[in-house]
Amino acid sequence: MLTRRQVLRLGRGFLAGLGAIAPACAFRQQHKLAAFESLYHAPLASNLQAFGMDRPDALKDYAAARNLLYGAAANPHGLSDPVFTAAFLRECAILVPENELKWQSIRPSPTQFDFSQADRLLEVAQRHHLLMRGHTLVWDQALPDWFDEAVDRQNAEQVMTAHIAAVASHFAGQLHSWDVVNEAIAVPYSQRSDGLHPSPWLELLGESYIETAFYAAAEADPQAMLVYNDRWLDYDTPRDNAQREAVLNLLEKLISKGVPVHALGIQAHLMGHETRFNADRLRTFLRDVASLGLKILITELDVTDRDLPADVAIRDSIVATAYETYLNVVLEEPAVVAVLTWGLSDRYTWLSSYEPRPDGLSVRPLPLDEAMNRKLVWTAIARAFEQANR
Ligand code: 9MR
């Protein structure tokens, strides 16, 4: 364990190292990252290079050695690229379809189901002995165009449970886990004391839609791990602190009622420029979740570099260190069973369109670059797995 003084000294060493790439002062002024010297990113990246990327083991091997699963989200676009597919099969033990199990993808009309894309991904996964996750059965986004017209208070419960029954039984026994309910809580957008996100499901069915969804999923696929998946659980900010409290309250309520929820999915869409990270707070939250008897999965890990400096070496260092710092805390918790990144290569990431850089440069949030070469992020994840004491 490093003392605070050692951490600060290492941080200064890291900044001095950056001087070779760009003057640290100019960098801080320009990007208003004055907190950089003491921020959690600084100490670690300086020696990440030494760990190396040219290793025979893949991320899934480092993870497996610590009894963890490593995998990533992918979509048919990425998996039609043979170079990406080869990299995916090398690094990953579990695949999550990025969009192909959402209502928008599988419900062309109120009476139809189209599993063709998801079935193809399952076929790829099974052929290559990968596990597959299901994402997601109930979410207020990615609903089909017909939804608002066709669903009302009278039929909402039947529509939701029939959807879950059909989809979860189609894949029954073949998926590692299901994100049964996604993003039910959004404290900043909620007028309610429980922080529930205003959504069609909440409006039409009330808060019981969450437990109804879990019971329906358990009935349709008794073998899958049933996950409540949510975001904004990572930082020491008013938003994330409130979100953690609301999620914990929800989970406590579900468990006390005997609802079949087995795990919390923490999305972990991190931000490279965010300095408000508090390891103790995150640790305590993970412990509280685990003490309910729940497993924990990191389901959508990535680190946006939108607001970081243009210089690739600096950017990669900050992003990689954000990964490692986060994982070092998360992997201490024995209830954590899996780490999935939301994509594997910078060539295929939602952040290119959702959080593009203002300077137009390509974003670099993931373990592999656009040419499928390992980056410092890969090293950071591999080293976090290797050093995990579990
Ligand atoms: O990466 C996904 C993107 O391609 C979709 O357009 C979007 C809407 O369906 O969803 C993105 O994935 C989200 C995930 O389903 C839930 N958590 C947040 C993810 C990033 O927005």
Side-chain angles (χ1 to χ4, degrees):
M1 197 65 190
L2 294 175
T3 64
R4 185 177 146 71
R5 182 173 305 196
Q6 282 169 322
V7 167
L8 288 173
R9 206 171 46 234
L10 276 168
R12 276 198 291 277
F14 175 61
L15 280 175
L18 288 180
I21 310 165
C25 273
F27 164 61
R28 281 204 303 277
Q29 275 165 5
Q30 191 185 347
H31 301 283
K32 298 197 175 68
L33 292 176
F36 201 66
E37 277 176 81
S38 59
L39 75 85
Y40 71 97
H41 303 129
L44 294 168
S46 50
N47 60 356
L48 256 181
Q49 292 285 3
F51 185 85
M53 299 170 201
D54 191 18
R55 292 176 167 240
D57 287 344
L59 291 179
K60 66 180 176 192
D61 306 314
Y62 286 101
R66 296 289 177 269
N67 212 12
L68 288 159
L69 276 171
Y70 170 74
N75 57 43
H77 182 49
L79 291 169
S80 65
D81 169 350
V83 188
F84 174 80
T85 305
F88 196 96
L89 297 177
R90 184 181 71 228
E91 302 289 353
C92 296
I94 181 164
L95 158 75
V96 56
E98 184 173 356
N99 294 312
E100 292 64 33
L101 285 163
K102 294 174 182 172
W103 284 59
Q104 224 166 37
S105 304
I106 54 177
R107 298 301 304 275
S109 79
T111 51
Q112 286 174 299
F113 290 83
D114 175 2
F115 294 116
S116 53
Q117 287 194 327
D119 282 346
R120 271 197 291 278
L121 294 183
L122 182 63
E123 191 275 320
V124 171
Q126 291 182 337
R127 186 152 33 97
H128 296 285
H129 310 290
L130 295 172
L131 298 171
M132 188 162 112
R133 306 198 62 231
H135 173 82
T136 173
L137 292 167
V138 178
W139 190 23
D140 67 297
Q141 292 180 45
L143 290 170
D145 290 340
W146 53 261
F147 187 88
D148 284 345
E149 287 248 316
V151 186
D152 57 26
R153 252 178 242 281
Q154 273 64 52
N155 67 6
E157 181 163 335
Q158 193 275 331
V159 172
M160 186 184 82
T161 53
H163 175 88
I164 295 173
V167 179
S169 17
H170 180 84
F171 296 101
Q174 305 189 80
L175 298 185
H176 166 270
S177 46
W178 262 113
D179 290 336
V180 178
V181 177
N182 190 45
E183 299 175 13
I185 290 176
V187 174
Y189 303 131
S190 179
Q191 308 289 336
R192 302 165 50 108
S193 59
D194 57 13
L196 286 183
H197 179 55
S199 79
W201 298 118
L202 183 63
E203 203 180 296
L204 298 169
L205 294 173
E207 63 189 71
S208 65
Y209 85 88
I210 299 173
E211 58 196 72
T212 306
F214 276 95
Y215 282 117
E219 199 179 325
D221 187 353
Q223 287 178 47
M225 181 190 285
L226 303 182
V227 181
Y228 174 72
N229 195 47
D230 217 331
R231 60 197 160 153
W232 304 337
L233 299 169
D234 318 295
Y235 290 112
D236 188 9
T237 57
R239 183 193 71 182
D240 288 19
N241 293 339
Q243 188 80 354
R244 277 197 297 275
E245 194 183 330
V247 166
L248 193 59
N249 287 340
L250 171 68
L251 293 173
E252 274 168 4
K253 206 188 295 173
L254 294 174
I255 294 295
S256 72
K257 286 177 156 181
V259 176
V261 48
H262 307 137
L264 171 66
I266 298 181
Q267 294 187 1
H269 291 292
L270 305 182
M271 297 173 284
H273 60 278
E274 180 55 82
T275 59
R276 291 166 291 175
F277 179 72
N278 182 325
D280 283 339
R281 287 208 158 175
L282 182 58
R283 229 176 248 131
T284 304
F285 174 68
L286 299 172
R287 206 60 310 267
D288 288 346
V289 172
S291 70
L292 297 173
L294 296 170
K295 299 288 183 209
I296 299 168
L297 293 81
I298 306 302
T299 48
E300 305 184 14
L301 180 58
D302 57 14
V303 179
T304 176
D305 64 346
R306 184 188 57 194
D307 297 317
L308 294 178
D311 185 286
V312 166
I314 295 177
R315 240 199 293 166
D316 282 3
S317 292
I318 296 173
V319 169
T321 312
Y323 267 93
E324 190 173 22
T325 307
Y326 187 80
L327 287 175
N328 282 350
V329 175
V330 159
L331 298 179
E332 284 171 10
E333 172 51 59
V336 172
V337 294
V339 174
L340 287 101
T341 46
W342 203 242
L344 178 67
S345 152
D346 297 337
R347 181 181 284 263
Y348 305 107
T349 163
W350 70 294
L351 291 167
S352 306
S353 48
Y354 281 74
E355 298 197 17
R357 288 179 57 83
D359 59 14
L361 294 174
S362 318
V363 298
R364 298 176 64 84
L366 288 167
L368 307 184
D369 70 11
E370 293 193 341
M372 308 306 150
N373 298 310
R374 290 169 172 174
K375 292 161 49 195
L376 213 53
V377 168
W378 182 94
T379 311
I381 300 175
R383 189 167 75 172
F385 286 149
E386 190 180 75
Q387 294 185 352
N389 186 11
R390 45 188 290 134

